[in-house]
Amino acid sequence: EDKVVQSPLSLVVHEGDTVTLNCSYEVTNFRSLLWYKQEKKAPTFLFMLTSSGIEKKSGRLSSILDKKELFSILNITATQTGDSAVYLCAVLYNTDKLIFGTGTRLQVFP
Amino acid sequence: ETGVTQSPTHLIKTRGQQVTLRCSSQSGHNTVSWYQQALGQGPQFIFQYYREEENGRGNFPPRFSGLQFPNYSSELNVNALELDDSALYLCASSLGGVKVGGELFFGEGSRLTVL
């Protein structure tokens, strides 16, 4: 059965800390891996990773994919309270259908 | 703002009732997917519509049904509501998926509570 597993489930840090969120997957017909940030309702797109070993960066966020070991990490450096959210990892299979993990809830305190 | 709008934003129903949720996709998008997100869980794929036809379905019973209209807006219907149907229902639109690499644009969701 296809599955996406995220860890940790929850993380509490102080502003300025660096965090690493993990995502492993077992999905047939893998096409890409995506990261989303969900603060209240609609998940907002962060990254899409298709090739192994190529880091994607956006400000303090970065992510990389390892297709051999079937995992991805999302790094957030110098965390801010505005980074508090649930971070969802999802694998795109077939055309544009996604399998999501359960998410990592990040809380950043001042 | 993703250009994907859903209605209603919140609703409360009782067991056994039926509900219809609506989604207007982003302009130019011909594919709409529906996801169910229970509290504390990631979204789960319900089904997808591409150019008015169902194009894949997740592990949901037949009482979950859908429709896509010529303008590519979509409805999700759930019959014989059960308590476990309480969730946030997310609609996502895309342009056929493959060309844009699958970036989906999500609406704000409809939060359904079944009592």
Side-chain angles (χ1 to χ4, degrees), chain A residues 11-76:
Chain A
L11 201 49
V12 179
V13 301
H14 290 286
E15 271 191 322
D17 288 349
T18 293
V19 297
T20 298
L21 281 56
N22 303 296
C23 176
S24 64
Y25 63 91
E26 292 178 28
V27 178
T28 53
N29 298 315
F30 172 93
R31 297 185 72 91
S32 303
L33 186 143
L34 293 88
W35 285 96
Y36 287 87
K37 178 181 182 182
Q38 188 175 30
E39 293 180 82
K40 291 182 180 176
K41 287 189 175 179
T44 54
F45 173 79
L46 294 175
F47 297 111
M48 185 178 73
L49 305 156
T50 305
S51 301
S52 267
I54 299 175
E55 185 182 50
K56 293 224 172 171
K57 293 194 74 170
S58 177
R60 296 176 294 101
L61 278 65
S62 63
S63 184
I64 197 162
L65 172 68
D66 185 329
K67 291 171 72 174
K68 182 179 177 184
E69 300 297 329
L70 307 182
F71 79 89
S72 173
I73 60 172
L74 174 68
N75 281 315
I76 308 175

Side-chain angles (χ1 to χ4, degrees), chain A residues 36-39 84-88 102-106, chain B residues 37:
Chain A
Y36 287 87
K37 178 181 182 182
Q38 188 175 30
E39 293 180 82
S84 296
V86 174
Y87 290 84
L88 295 165
T102 54
T104 293
R105 179 173 295 279
L106 174 64
Chain B
Q37 187 175 21

Side-chain angles (χ1 to χ4, degrees), chain B residues 47 74 88:
Chain B
F47 44 57
S74 178
L88 179 67

Side-chain angles (χ1 to χ4, degrees), chain A residues 38 41-42 48 96-98 101, chain B residues 35 37 48 55 94 101 108:
Chain A
Q38 188 175 30
K41 287 189 175 179
M48 185 178 73
D96 47 1
K97 304 176 184 68
L98 294 170
Chain B
Y35 290 81
Q37 187 175 21
Q48 180 186 84
N55 181 38
S94 58
E108 291 292 309

